[in-house]
Amino acid sequence: MAARDWASLAPDILITVILMLGPAEIMRGAERAFSSWRRVAVDDPALWRRIDMGTEVLPFSSGGRAAAHAAMDRAAGECEAFSGPCDNHLLFCLVRRAPSLKVLHVKHLYAQNKVLNSVLNRLPLLEDIEISPSFASTPSENLLQSVCKDCPRLKKLRLNCSESFDFHNGNGVALEIIHGGIAPMHDLRSIELLHCDLTTQGLRAILDNCPLLETLHITGFLVGGKIDEKLRRKCARVKDLTLPGKSVKLYRFHRNGPVRRQVSGPLEMDD
């Protein structure tokens, strides 16, 4: 049997193969195999419309930053989806090099909320956002409120605060506070809020301002109140609903954030 000439693969087949790989696998492996493969990997922006850097590439390392820059350069302004860890530098890089971005999944956010807000406000086409903060937001920087304000076209939103760290809290645990109003989100259909302190006021604001909402998943604690009959009827409009399994009876704010008291059993609903 004659040896297969891998260097002469048809372009459409080669593109299909390369699309199955991540940026690191392409840059460190596939494109180094043959010059013909490298030409396709470097010269075809369509291959880089969706960039997934994984979770192991640190944006503040020289290698991670160089790989992310190279991927966005190859996209030539056509990148529509980016996934991976981000710091301040990489977030601003997305604004400059990916103005058509529609999907942004930040697996580990190493940046302040005010930087994130500035960047989101400059990416007007965003429809799908996932953010996993590494640091806690304060009550005055409510992450849900700010993201909704900056991204009015969102259809899908996921905030995962399970890895947030609060330097003001002795045990380091930080829960995102879902409290107060949000901007009207006329296209938003799916919300996931993981590891949160949810108040009934915050829940009511979500339901009132997201008329097309079909999926609402919230984990963490229900804070300071019961879900009354009126609010329960609003919840019933959501097809796929998950609310926190525990409630917190007493709750207050101080200058360093929320203080929780007396965790009880399953969240309470009025009969």
Side-chain angles (χ1 to χ4, degrees), residues 65-185:
R65 183 168 292 180
H69 284 191
M72 283 186 276
D73 285 344
R74 295 179 183 190
E78 296 183 18
C79 179
E80 296 181 352
F82 181 89
S83 177
C86 286
D87 62 357
N88 293 350
H89 177 90
L90 188 50
L91 284 173
F92 285 121
C93 185
L94 286 169
V95 171
R96 295 191 302 271
R97 306 189 189 192
S100 301
L101 205 64
K102 295 180 180 180
V103 179
L104 175 60
H105 290 178
V106 182
K107 300 299 184 180
H108 299 286
L109 176 65
Y110 303 97
Q112 294 177 311
N113 281 3
K114 61 182 180 180
V115 173
L116 176 67
N117 298 150
S118 174
V119 167
L120 295 181
N121 193 47
R122 295 158 67 182
L123 293 170
L125 301 181
L126 283 172
E127 298 179 349
D128 180 344
I129 291 179
E130 176 179 342
I131 301 172
S132 298
S134 296
F135 304 99
S137 61
T138 67
S140 62
E141 298 176 327
N142 187 292
L143 189 55
L144 175 64
Q145 290 178 339
S146 60
V147 169
C148 289
K149 179 181 177 181
D150 294 327
C151 305
R153 295 187 180 184
L154 277 186
K155 297 179 179 179
K156 184 177 181 180
L157 172 61
R158 187 175 194 263
L159 302 181
N160 181 4
C161 299
S162 61
E163 297 184 4
S164 295
F165 188 89
D166 186 352
F167 292 101
H168 296 296
N169 193 328
N171 60 13
V173 176
L175 280 75
E176 177 68 16
I177 304 162
I178 309 302
H179 177 73
I182 63 171
M185 303 296 290

